[in-house]
Amino acid sequence: MFVALWPLPAAARRLGEQAREAASRHGGRAMPAADLHVTLAFIGELAPAAAIGLAARLRSGLHGACPPPDASMVFDRIGSFRGANVTWLGPSVPPAWLQPLAMAVRDGLDGAGVAYDRKPFVPHLTIVRGARAPADGIAPLSSSGWRVALVRSAKPAESAGPGAGRYQIMEWLDEEAAPCNPAVTRMS
């Protein structure tokens, strides 16, 4: 389980095109557009009942920290993780709203007593798995429209089929932060 910044459908499609282009250049499998996200905090296994309580707590703690309605991020860096054979996109200059959001999520997890991976937050979007060549330059890609979600990895039977996502959104966390994002509507 993890908390992630999730692109709205139009942004996900554009990022998915970039993923397919990178996979054609570097080999490997492009991440499906439905799975593209920026992880804010990785939690690991969590019981479903605990996830519901955690979602409520995080939702109230994000008030004032969620992405603004016009939130955008420019992905102008491409790289790879050594040994992991993945290609990622990232912003060379993260938007001003991103670090406070990541800190609000992590503060909420701390307040709930939920363990998470405490590596420093480095915003990136994994776009290719199993890449066979190092990543090279890209044209900057601006992506607008982001939501905050509590996400779990789908079981293989739940994600069967071409183009099926490997992640399942458990709860949107930004819907009750209306003063911060009045345009948010429930998408489940």
Side-chain angles (χ1 to χ4, degrees), residues 29-126:
R29 298 173 314 284
M31 293 286 290
D35 284 347
L36 296 172
H37 65 276
V38 175
T39 300
L40 299 169
F42 179 77
I43 300 166
E45 291 297 317
L46 197 61
I52 292 168
L54 176 62
R57 184 172 185 122
L58 288 173
R59 192 177 294 116
S60 67
L62 290 180
H63 186 76
C66 65
D70 60 348
S72 67
M73 193 174 336
V74 176
F75 293 93
D76 57 355
R77 293 178 51 221
I78 189 167
S80 54
F81 294 123
R82 293 177 191 230
N85 297 333
V86 299
T87 300
W88 53 262
L89 296 177
S92 59
V93 178
W97 53 267
L98 187 54
Q99 188 67 34
L101 173 62
M103 292 308 301
V105 166
R106 290 165 178 238
D107 288 349
L109 293 170
D110 286 336
V114 173
Y116 61 94
D117 185 344
R118 294 186 176 272
K119 289 180 191 154
F121 175 63
V122 178
H124 68 279
L125 184 88
T126 298

Side-chain angles (χ1 to χ4, degrees), residues 142-158:
S142 180
S143 182
S144 298
W146 297 91
R147 299 279 315 266
V148 182
L150 181 62
V151 184
R152 76 174 182 95
S153 294
K155 296 179 177 98
E158 297 171 330

